[in-house]
């Protein structure tokens, strides 16, 4: 991976992408610069690639307080990268990306920018894989940039209307995977989620997040309230959707994935309840990540 970070609002030349990957900055539709990284698919080991292949790419959306350089996300990206090229990025307000976190609202624009970059690098088939907050963003992105958006009945149009029809088409996903995602906003039913809400809503919590976790949170709150994950779920079809959740998740109990699946189209949705699995990228092991990547690449 190259060391320099180049700010771009358009695609960097594909000829500059090598088997070592690339680190860059992408500009979202609302003007936020986010850090992103690309690793081409190398089925035969490091050094065998010659640049982006026409095969699929997986765009990975991390959880709240994560970032593309965090060890848990790097491990996940490496496991997924045994099946496809991988794009990782840091959501706004996280790591070295600009802006402030809106905790799942405008992060949809960050994911859209990363998907567009993957397509500009030559990948025609894209799967999005999100963990925790990133899983909620994957669900909302698949709905807002899919066949039902924008302007379809029941689809709010303020966020996705920032991009034109061509930009929305380039930002769509061909398959979506939400791991450890919440079904609804404002959930405080577990001790870890009460701590998360303290970090988000209290000035002292936002200070701890900023200086302790390198996560800068927007203090203004939502206005208007964004489309919830469970409201997004029925709008995703016919895009294939996989919901993955652990039966030992300390943040969200099993009613969250079951609610999402009940709301989604059964003809294009699968649910995996994983025994012994905890929460998000920090708990996902290589075997589970390999199965997720195999499903994603098979369904694009």
């Amino acid at each position: 991976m190259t060391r320099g970070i180049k700010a771009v609002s358009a695609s960097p030349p594909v000829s500059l992408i090598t088997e070592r990957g690339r680190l860059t900055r992408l500009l979202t539709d609302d003007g936020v610069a986010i850090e992103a990284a690309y690793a081409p698919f190398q089925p035969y080991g490091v050094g065998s690639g010659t640049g982006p292949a026409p095969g699929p790419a997986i765009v990975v959306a991390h959880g709240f307080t994560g970032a593309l350089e965090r060890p848990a996300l790097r491990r996940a990206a490496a496991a997924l990268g045994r099946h496809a090229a991988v794009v990782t990025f840091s959501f706004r307000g996280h790591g070295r990306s600009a802006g402030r976190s809106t905790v799942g609202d405008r992060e949809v624009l960050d994911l859209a920018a990363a998907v567009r970059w993957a397509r500009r690098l030559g990948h025609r088939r894209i799967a999005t894989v999100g963990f925790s907050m990133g899983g909620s963003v994957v669900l909302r992105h698949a709905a807002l940039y899919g066949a039902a958006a924008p302007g379809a009945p029941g689809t709010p149009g303020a966020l996705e209307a920032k991009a034109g029809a061509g930009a929305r088409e380039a930002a769509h996903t061909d398959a979506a995977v939400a791991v450890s995602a919440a079904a609804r906003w404002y959930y405080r039913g577990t001790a870890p989620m009460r701590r998360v809400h303290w970090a988000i809503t209290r000035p002292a919590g936002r200070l701890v997040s900023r200086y302790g976790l390198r996560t800068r949170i927007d203090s203004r709150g939502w206005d208007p309230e964004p489309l919830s994950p469970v409201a997004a779920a029925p709008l995703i079809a016919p895009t294939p959707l996989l919901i993955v959740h652990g039966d030992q998740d300390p943040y969200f109990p099993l009613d969250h994935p079951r609610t999402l699946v009940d709301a989604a189209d059964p003809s294009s949705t699968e649910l995996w309840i994983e025994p012994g699995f905890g929460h998000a990228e920090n708990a996902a092991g290589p075997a589970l990540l390999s199965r997720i990547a195999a499903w994603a690449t098979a369904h694009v």
Side-chain angles (χ1 to χ4, degrees), residues 77-102:
L80 298 170
R82 297 186 181 97
H83 295 259
V86 173
V87 169
T88 52
F89 65 96
S90 295
F91 280 120
R92 62 186 62 204
H94 290 71
R96 289 185 288 267
S97 288
R100 294 178 182 270
S101 174
T102 63

Side-chain angles (χ1 to χ4, degrees), residues 171-191:
H172 81 279
T173 187
D174 300 298
V177 183
V179 184
S180 306
R184 54 194 180 273
W185 303 136
Y186 309 115
Y187 178 73
R188 293 178 170 87
T190 59

Side-chain angles (χ1 to χ4, degrees), residues 44-273:
Y44 303 111
V46 175
S48 63
T50 57
I58 297 174
V59 179
V60 185
H62 62 75
F64 181 61
T65 75
L68 69 80
E69 72 272 13
R70 295 289 174 88
L73 192 69
R74 299 302 344 134
R75 288 194 300 270
L80 298 170
R82 297 186 181 97
H83 295 259
V86 173
V87 169
T88 52
F89 65 96
S90 295
F91 280 120
R92 62 186 62 204
H94 290 71
R96 289 185 288 267
S97 288
R100 294 178 182 270
S101 174
T102 63
V103 200
D105 178 14
R106 304 184 78 81
E107 284 74 10
V108 170
L109 301 175
D110 306 346
L111 179 55
V115 171
R116 286 193 198 103
W117 188 42
R119 294 195 186 281
R120 290 197 299 258
L121 295 176
H123 297 283
R124 300 174 66 110
R125 296 172 291 148
I126 308 292
T128 50
V129 176
F131 298 92
S132 192
M133 182 189 77
S136 299
V137 173
V138 159
L139 292 168
R140 299 185 60 246
H141 169 268
L144 295 173
Y145 287 81
T155 305
L159 185 63
E160 69 275 17
K162 286 184 171 293
R168 284 192 302 272
E169 173 63 23
H172 81 279
T173 187
D174 300 298
V177 183
V179 184
S180 306
R184 54 194 180 273
W185 303 136
Y186 309 115
Y187 178 73
R188 293 178 170 87
T190 59
M193 282 307 299
R194 289 191 287 274
R195 290 193 292 269
V196 169
H197 280 277
W198 175 81
I200 295 168
T201 61
R202 302 293 182 88
R206 291 192 292 272
L207 280 173
V208 170
S209 295
R210 181 183 183 93
Y211 295 106
L213 301 172
R214 294 188 63 197
T215 301
R216 303 166 305 282
I217 302 169
D218 195 324
S219 63
R220 292 173 295 180
W222 290 334
D223 184 22
E225 181 178 303
L227 181 74
S228 70
V230 71
L235 304 177
I236 294 172
T239 300
L241 171 63
L242 173 63
I243 306 294
V244 181
H245 213 90
D247 66 358
Q248 301 299 311
D249 193 311
Y251 288 81
F252 304 117
L254 291 178
D255 68 297
H256 283 261
R258 289 169 177 158
T259 299
L260 290 169
V261 170
D262 287 345
D265 187 331
S267 68
S268 57
T269 306
E270 293 185 38
L271 171 64
W272 295 356
I273 300 296

